[in-house]
Amino acid sequence: MPPILTLDKISKRFGAIVIADGLDLTLDEAEALGIIGPNGAGKTTLFGIMTGTVAPDAGRVLFDGADITRIPPPRRCHLGIARSFQIPQPFGGMTLFENLVVAAAFGGRRRERETYIRCMDILDQCGLADRANRHAASLTLIERKRLELARALATSPRVLLLDEVAGGLTEHECLGLVELIKAVRRSGVSIIWIEHVVHALLAAIDRLVVLHNGVFIAAGDPQTVIRSPAVEDIYMGIAADA
């Protein structure tokens, strides 16, 4: 079977800043892949290229073997690519339940009434069922992070892109989030997770790649990669202690 998601010789630059220099990346069915790299390395831009909000200068994006490079973001979502954002921005004046119904109806292309049971199931999975009728504007940070994940899941993704979902959380909150992400992965969803909280990331992924100066400088087994001299140098020993 072909990888579910492929970046084929992707290049992207903003002026003199090289974000991607002929990058190749694959994601297999039901795989959990982690991406780390210094701030400004272009990790979030790669998510933009995968979801269609950023156009590459060269290269192709393939989904389930088909070229989707020129397909707009809404259609990519309908195909099964969903993402979270570093700063959650839910519809604050809507309830949590309503936020998920919007995602399921428009992102998942379902009739509104057909989404109700599934949306409650997802809220329950994400530990938010008892807050279903609260307005999203009233949530704590961890609750917003969980709602961000729940909204992405409501679109019924085959590929889920997570952008620094553990940032700002306590250790206890991180542990709960990791268990939730593991459960999502066990359901068959393929995951790419960008994260600076390295110990949380390592607890949930199968493979790790490191982006630096537009290229992947290391890839493979997470524990092996994180202890490589090149990675330790970039993180000044921080990753080695994680």
Side-chain angles (χ1 to χ4, degrees):
M1 294 179 63
I4 190 168
L5 185 67
T6 301
L7 298 184
D8 178 29
K9 296 178 174 54
I10 290 291
S11 293
K12 183 67 182 179
R13 67 170 62 225
F14 295 103
I17 300 174
V18 178
I19 299 299
D21 187 10
L23 290 180
D24 291 318
L25 183 68
T26 60
L27 177 70
D28 291 331
E29 290 272 7
E31 181 184 23
L33 170 69
I35 301 179
I36 63 172
N39 286 326
K43 303 180 297 295
T44 296
T45 300
L46 284 186
F47 273 11
I49 291 172
M50 294 173 193
T51 57
T53 59
V54 176
D57 297 331
R60 301 184 302 158
V61 181
L62 306 177
F63 182 74
D64 210 12
D67 190 339
I68 62 168
T69 311
R70 298 184 182 278
I71 291 179
R75 284 187 58 196
R76 296 193 198 196
C77 183
H78 298 159
L79 287 172
I81 302 176
R83 68 163 295 181
S84 71
F85 291 85
Q86 291 182 27
I87 302 175
Q89 294 184 357
F91 298 112
M94 291 183 176
T95 66
L96 276 64
F97 177 73
E98 290 168 339
N99 268 268
L100 261 66
V101 169
V102 169
F106 290 92
R109 302 184 74 180
R110 288 175 169 79
R111 293 181 179 180
E112 180 180 329
R113 291 187 179 276
E114 296 174 353
T115 70
Y116 292 168
I117 294 176
R118 173 168 172 74
C119 287
M120 282 305 303
D121 287 343
I122 294 172
L123 285 173
D124 184 54
Q125 179 185 9
C126 294
L128 296 171
D130 61 341
R131 300 165 180 79
N133 291 319
R134 284 178 54 183
H135 284 117
S138 69
L139 299 181
T140 64
L141 177 61
I142 180 59
E143 290 170 342
R144 283 174 175 258
K145 298 269 189 177
R146 286 177 175 269
L147 177 58
E148 185 76 355
L149 177 56
R151 292 201 303 169
L153 291 175
T155 67
S156 299
R158 294 178 62 194
V159 171
L160 178 61
L161 310 178
L162 301 175
D163 197 350
E164 297 191 23
V165 290
L169 302 185
T170 66
E171 181 65 21
H172 177 72
E173 290 169 341
C174 276
L175 290 173
L177 185 66
V178 165
E179 291 307 310
L180 175 56
I181 292 170
K182 287 180 177 179
V184 171
R185 186 274 184 90
R186 287 194 297 270
S187 73
V189 177
S190 303
I191 295 172
I192 302 181
W193 185 2
I194 293 171
E195 189 55 70
H196 283 297
V197 184
V198 177
H199 68 278
L201 181 68
L202 296 181
I205 60 173
D206 306 302
R207 184 163 53 99
L208 180 66
V209 298
V210 184
L211 181 65
H212 186 55
N213 290 336
V215 297
F216 292 127
I217 62 168
D221 172 72
Q223 294 297 335
T224 302
V225 168
I226 209 68
R227 289 181 171 84
S228 68
V231 175
E232 289 186 5
D233 181 59
I234 290 173
Y235 282 91
M236 296 180 293
I238 294 175
D241 296 333

